[in-house]
């Protein structure tokens, strides 16, 4: 296994427990959509541990790239678990209820995000999970309990957006179809590693409609709210996810793979904001660098009615949209399929 050199700061992470846990743990793999502090101690420009990030979160600016909670936080609350702590900030040995390995600016491919500094790509994250399974968890629970712990826990993958924003669009070295195939092959290999390490309930999210982000759409001012040709390139990847889910479920015994159709919900919120109680689907809520196309300006005052915005900064969603997507995934089989989280905990 490739070694990942990291500094672990031994501090305590406080999270609320919302009820009796429905599963033993929640393990998270991803990018800034669900990073909650891993990048805080990495040598990178991709950080969100300053105001106004976290303005609506009880623990303030933890490193979440939004104003409050993420999809992963809402999943944890529903499951009755503490928010999975970031692996780097607290150390993996501190938690039996899940860990967050997600890293902002990184992606499925190892080269994605390198222009911002150090981050944990998907292979790095799965390497850290392997270390958790082989070295940390056995210290706390016996082998029988460990097997049950891993097989009954839930694993969530929300990653790939950065591969298109900073890799595909930045290098122009791939055709959309070949790039999508590369991403599918790579994420499939890493998901299989999690299965081989004991994971059985695995959720994989679609890539977001990148053509609608303020970061992208403002570069094409005459395209309207979304640059549809850019959304179509992401569709090349997303269309390959249902066959992947079906193949993994049929070939890996006792597995339960779930597709999170987050792209369609986000896109619908952008096109029909009033349907979700939103009013602004094109501007970032916080004052952002680059005329609203980048991250929040430190210590700047954000918009007042944050619940009415789709975008928090030039890239990321507000807590409101995170809540909309997560609530749909918990109970709506057309959003999370073939089973919802509600179904998954009953299997």
């Amino acid at each position: 296994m490739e070694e990942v050199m990291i500094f672990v700061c031994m501090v305590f992470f406080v999270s609320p427990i919302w009820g009796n846990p429905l599963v033993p743990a929640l393990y998270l793999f991803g990018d800034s959509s669900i990073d909650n502090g891993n990048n805080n101690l990495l040598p990178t420009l991709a950080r969100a541990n300053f105001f106004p990030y976290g303005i609506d979160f009880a623990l303030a600016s933890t490193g979440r790239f939004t104003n409050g909670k993420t999809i992963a936080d809402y999943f944890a609350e529903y499951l009755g678990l503490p928010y999975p702590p970031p692996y780097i900030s607290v150390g993996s040995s501190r938690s039996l209820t899940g860990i967050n390995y997600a890293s902002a600016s990184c992606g499925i491919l190892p080269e994605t995000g390198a222009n911002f500094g150090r981050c944990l790509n998907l292979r790095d994250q799965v390497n850290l999970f392997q270390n958790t399974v082989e070295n940390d968890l056995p210290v706390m629970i016996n082998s029988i309990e460990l097997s049950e712990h891993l097989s009954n826990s839930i694993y969530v993958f929300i990653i790939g957006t950065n591969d298109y924003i900073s890799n595909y669009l930045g290098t122009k070295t791939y055709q959309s179809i070949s790039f999508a195939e590369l991403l599918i092959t790579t994420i499939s290999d890493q998901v299989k590693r999690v299965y081989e390490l004991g994971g059985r309930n695995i959720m994989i999210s679609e890539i977001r409609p990148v053509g609608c982000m303020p970061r992208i759409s403002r570069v094409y001012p005459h395209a309207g709210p979304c640059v549809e040709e850019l959304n179509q390139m992401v569709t090349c990847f997303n269309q390959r996810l249902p066959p992947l889910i079906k193949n993994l479920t049929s070939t890996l015994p006792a597995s339960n793979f779930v597709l999170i159709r987050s792209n369609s919900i986000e896109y619908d919120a952008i096109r029909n904001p009033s349907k979700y109680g939103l009013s602004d689907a094109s501007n970032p809520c916080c004052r952002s660098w680059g005329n609203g196309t980048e991250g929040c300006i430190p210590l700047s005052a954000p918009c007042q009615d944050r619940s009415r915005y789709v975008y928090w900064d030039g890239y990321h969603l507000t807590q409101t949209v995170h809540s909309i997507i997560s609530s749909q995934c918990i109970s709506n089989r057309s959003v999370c399929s073939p089973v919802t989280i509600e179904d998954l905990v009953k299997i």
Side-chain angles (χ1 to χ4, degrees):
M1 179 179 70
E2 177 185 344
E3 293 296 327
V4 178
M5 300 302 294
I6 58 174
F7 172 74
V8 177
C9 178
M10 290 300 188
V11 295
F12 289 99
F13 183 87
V14 181
S15 297
I17 297 181
W18 296 82
N20 295 323
L22 299 177
V23 296
L26 177 63
Y27 292 98
L28 306 170
F29 307 85
D31 53 28
S32 56
S33 295
I34 56 173
D35 184 355
N36 64 348
N38 278 312
N39 275 32
N40 291 354
L41 294 174
L42 290 174
T44 176
L45 297 175
R47 293 180 183 173
N49 56 342
F50 55 85
F51 184 89
Y53 288 103
I55 187 174
D56 297 310
F57 190 72
L59 300 176
S61 304
T62 60
R64 289 166 170 81
F65 287 73
T66 184
N67 58 303
K69 299 171 187 174
T70 69
I71 293 172
D73 295 323
Y74 286 111
F75 285 173
E77 289 179 2
Y78 172 77
L79 295 170
L81 296 168
Y83 304 138
Y87 181 95
I88 294 179
S89 296
V90 302
S92 61
S93 62
R94 296 279 176 151
S95 176
L96 264 175
T97 55
I99 298 169
N100 189 334
Y101 305 94
S103 181
S105 80
C106 251
I108 296 171
L109 303 180
E111 64 269 25
T112 298
N115 53 314
F116 289 99
R118 179 74 170 96
C119 63
L120 305 173
N121 62 60
L122 184 56
R123 181 178 179 182
D124 291 336
Q125 295 177 35
V126 177
N127 285 349
L128 295 178
F129 173 66
Q130 182 172 345
N131 183 67
T132 298
V133 172
E134 295 179 349
N135 298 312
D136 298 325
L137 290 176
V139 175
M140 296 179 280
I141 53 181
N142 63 46
S143 59
I144 296 177
E145 291 175 331
L146 176 57
S147 177
E148 294 177 350
H149 171 93
L150 294 171
S151 63
N152 292 322
S153 294
I154 290 179
Y155 306 80
V156 177
F157 289 76
I158 302 179
I159 196 167
T161 297
N162 290 325
D163 292 285
Y164 279 95
I165 293 176
S166 63
N167 194 333
Y168 180 83
L169 290 179
T171 63
K172 304 284 188 179
T173 58
Y174 296 94
Q175 295 294 321
S176 60
I177 294 177
S178 61
F179 190 67
E181 291 291 355
L182 175 61
L183 294 183
I184 285 291
T185 299
T186 306
I187 195 172
S188 176
D189 290 342
Q190 297 307 317
V191 164
K192 288 176 183 177
R193 287 182 61 200
V194 170
Y195 173 86
E196 291 165 358
L197 288 164
R200 294 295 180 268
N201 305 311
I202 300 174
M203 308 180 72
I204 305 174
S205 178
E206 293 178 331
I207 293 177
R208 297 173 56 199
V210 299
C212 302
M213 294 178 179
R215 171 73 177 102
I216 303 298
S217 62
R218 293 190 180 195
V219 179
Y220 303 86
H222 303 296
C226 295
V227 185
E228 295 302 342
E229 58 264 37
L230 299 185
N231 286 337
Q232 285 301 312
M233 71 182 183
V234 169
T235 300
C236 287
F237 174 89
N238 289 341
Q239 287 178 338
R240 286 162 172 75
L241 284 176
L244 174 66
I245 295 291
K246 184 176 180 179
N247 177 261
L248 290 172
T249 302
S250 63
T251 57
L252 300 178
S255 65
N256 299 295
F257 283 90
V258 177
L259 174 60
I260 305 174
R261 299 181 184 274
S262 55
N263 181 292
S264 58
I265 297 294
E266 181 177 339
Y267 185 78
D268 193 38
I270 293 164
R271 286 297 189 177
N272 306 289
S274 61
K275 176 180 176 180
Y276 300 90
L278 303 164
S279 59
D280 194 315
S282 58
N283 298 299
C285 173
C286 77
R287 291 180 56 199
S288 307
W289 299 107
N291 191 30
T293 63
E294 302 288 346
C296 299
I297 297 173
L299 305 182
S300 62
C303 65
Q304 288 295 312
D305 194 356
R306 295 179 285 278
S307 66
R308 305 287 290 180
Y309 279 70
V310 171
Y311 290 103
W312 169 244
D313 61 16
Y315 301 89
H316 305 100
L317 302 172
T318 59
Q319 172 180 262
T320 300
V321 183
H322 280 283
S323 175
I324 291 168
I325 296 172
S326 60
S327 63
Q328 290 289 309
C329 184
I330 287 170
S331 59
N332 188 339
R333 290 180 187 170
S334 67
V335 176
C336 278
S337 61
V339 296
T340 64
I341 295 180
E342 191 175 58
D343 298 323
L344 197 59
V345 300
K346 299 175 182 177
I347 296 176

